Structure formats: structure tokens, C-alpha cells
Amino acid sequence: MKNLRLVARTSTKRSVVMVDNVAVGQDLVVIAGPCSVESEEQTMTTAQAVKDAGADMLRGGAFKPRTSPYSFQGLGLDGLKILARAKQATGLPIVTEVIDPRDVSWVAEFADVLQIGTRNMQNFALLKEVGRAGRPVLLKRGMYSTLEEWLNCAEYVMSEGNPDVVLCERGIRTFESYTRNTLDLSAVPAIKELTHLPIIVDPTHSTGRISLIGPMSMAAVAAGADGLIIEVHYNPREAQCDADQALTPDMFKDIMKQLRPMRAFMDSLPAQRSNPSNQVEVTE
Ligand code: PEP
Ligand code: MN
């Protein structure tokens, strides 16, 4: 792949992106929380539940890129203030999406990680802006994008001076309609072959089905993912966004009980020389 000057892997060294004291690319990192911030009670309750289950960061959208302009668009600034209070209460760093280049600088005052969603992966003005925001960026794969297109978007962010990019495989559109998207797990070792950047997996938006989130989370860890981002809602039936794919706190807790043992098990196995996930040396 041409011109991936900053993104390309040139040695076995892998980048670690620090978010407060969470080391993405080193430990298995789990980001969890609601699709969108809906109220103080919903966010606080869910934040405490995911923290108690062992999550490392809290997710929640204050700006929602919705298919219909008539759907709930997020609480905006009020949502960000609720996230700030959830961080104060739990200590969990905040991952939140930004959808408009004009909002980046002030959203960055509330966000520990700026999320770029699948629909905005190739919004180059937005990528340049988050490249200058001084915050780590979670760059989701565009649902119609190749790995090369995705990595070029990471290059846009890095070329503005921001080295802290985390990639997120969140499923791509295929002819299959049982799942919301098709989770391309081969992207995980492929990305490790192509770049030094960490990669996490979103089993929620890729499958769109509660029953598949646990199995695909385990498979992602087995494939070498550096972490997961999972939607959890204290009362999924009431969720204003993505209600059908939100886990209850108890379901999330069950999955969490398996994830770290799975990672420890994978780490205990002898390395496969041909597997890029096994050829690593970590640097910050
Ligand atoms: C999200 O994580 O809230 C989201 C909208 O995801 P995606 O951009 O992957 O659809
Ligand atoms: Mn969602």
C-alpha cells in the first residue's frame, strides 16, 4: 500500500495509545456504554454497571449520525455534560463521537477519545480537525471501505500531528441480511500486518444481534484484537437508539467474565510464526 508514511508497519514494534491510565494496544481494553446519552439517570446507572463489570472506558453518543433526520439526534452539549459527570463518578475515560468539524475543538474538552463513526470515515475535513485536536481518535471502518481506504484515513489524522489513532472494525455491508453488517474479523490480523496502530472490534454494530455479541467478542480476542467496544443500556427496551442490540448490564457482565480469561489463554499458547499478532514488540 502506497503513501502510508506514518501508519505503515515498519517493524515488529506496536504503538500503544494511552487514555488516562488505560493502555490501548497493550492490555485488553473494553469500552462499554449506551449508544446515546439519553438522560442523567440512564448514563450514570449504565456507567456504574459497566464499571462494576470491569469496563475500562465509557462510551456514549451526544451527537448521533442517524439514517433519518427525524430520529433522535442526541443531546449535544447537555449530553457531554452528563458524560463529564459520569467520568467524575466512575473514573472511566469518555469515548464519544464527533460528527461535524466545527464541533471538534469544544467536544475535545469533554472527550478523552474522539470517535469517528463509520459514516464519516472519509470526511476528510473532520479527519484533519481531529488530527489537530490533541486527543486520541477512535477511527471506525467505513461500512463500504477497504482496508487501504481505512488506513489512508488514519494517515490523514496522523499527518496533522496526532499519533494517537485506534482503529475499530465495526462490520461491512454484504448481501447477508440476518446480521446488520458482516463482521470482518480477518481485518484484525490483516491490520496488524499492515500497521503498528492498535485495533479494536465492535461486535454490537457489526452483528446487530444480542445473541451474537458474546461469541463474536470471544472470536475477536482470539483473532488478536486489542479491545472491544460494546453497547450496554440499563433498560434496553427504553433505548432511543439501537434498542435491539443493547446488552443489559447482566449480559455484559457474563461476557466480561469470559473475555480476560480468553485473552490470558491466547497469551499462554505457543506463538504461530506466520501470525502477525504474534510478532509484536510493544512501544509507547
Ligand atoms: C456508534 O458507535 O455509536 C455508531 C454509530 O457506530 P457506527 O459508526 O459504527 O455505526
Ligand atoms: Mn449504536
Side-chain angles (χ1 to χ4, degrees), residues 33-268:
C35 183
S36 60
V37 176
E38 294 161 6
S39 69
E40 177 111 15
E41 189 205 354
Q42 170 250 14
T43 303
M44 287 294 188
T45 313
T46 308
Q48 197 57 55
V50 301
K51 158 120 184 166
D52 293 346
D56 303 288
M57 293 192 231
L58 177 67
R59 61 148 291 142
F63 296 95
K64 297 306 300 178
R66 304 303 300 278
T67 302
S68 163
Y70 308 116
S71 300
F72 176 60
Q73 304 282 311
L75 295 180
L77 176 59
D78 288 341
L80 293 172
K81 288 181 180 167
I82 292 172
L83 287 171
R85 288 195 284 277
K87 180 179 185 183
Q88 226 168 19
T90 61
L92 296 176
I94 301 299
V95 181
T96 198
E97 181 165 353
V98 60
I99 59 178
D100 187 322
R102 293 169 296 187
D103 296 335
V104 169
S105 59
W106 65 270
V107 173
E109 291 174 26
F110 295 87
D112 296 292
V113 177
L114 291 165
Q115 178 175 323
I116 302 295
T118 191
R119 294 161 189 81
N120 271 313
M121 186 199 81
Q122 279 187 320
N123 181 337
F124 300 118
L126 185 61
L127 295 176
K128 287 185 192 171
E129 210 56 56
V130 298
R132 297 191 282 260
R135 288 276 186 231
V137 173
L138 181 65
L139 179 61
K140 290 191 143 192
R141 179 180 183 178
M143 63 180 97
Y144 303 106
S145 301
T146 64
L147 300 183
E148 185 165 11
E149 287 161 344
W150 187 16
L151 290 176
N152 271 287
C153 292
E155 190 75 26
Y156 263 93
V157 177
M158 291 188 77
S159 64
E160 292 296 324
N162 187 345
D164 294 327
V165 180
V166 178
L167 299 164
C168 176
E169 163 60 42
R170 53 78 68 206
I172 50 177
R173 283 255 169 118
T174 68
F175 53 81
E176 181 53 66
S177 58
Y178 184 69
T179 48
R180 181 171 171 174
N181 291 278
T182 295
L183 179 57
D184 178 12
L185 272 185
S186 68
V188 174
I191 282 292
K192 294 205 162 184
E193 193 156 67
L194 294 166
T195 172
H196 54 88
L197 297 172
I199 176 166
I200 70 168
V201 167
D202 177 343
T204 302
H205 294 91
S206 50
T207 65
R209 283 185 180 264
I210 285 167
S211 58
L212 305 185
I213 293 172
M216 297 320 285
S217 297
M218 295 293 272
V221 176
D226 296 301
L228 292 152
I229 181 166
I230 300 177
E231 284 186 357
V232 180
H233 194 288
Y234 79 140
N235 187 358
R237 270 173 307 184
E238 274 182 15
Q240 297 206 40
C241 178
D242 288 349
D244 296 340
Q245 60 188 36
L247 299 179
T248 63
D250 281 345
M251 291 173 184
F252 177 65
K253 210 188 299 173
D254 290 345
I255 293 173
M256 285 300 286
K257 282 185 191 146
Q258 295 188 335
L259 286 181
R260 294 194 209 278
M262 180 63 166
R263 170 64 175 258
F265 173 69
M266 293 306 296
D267 287 347
S268 74

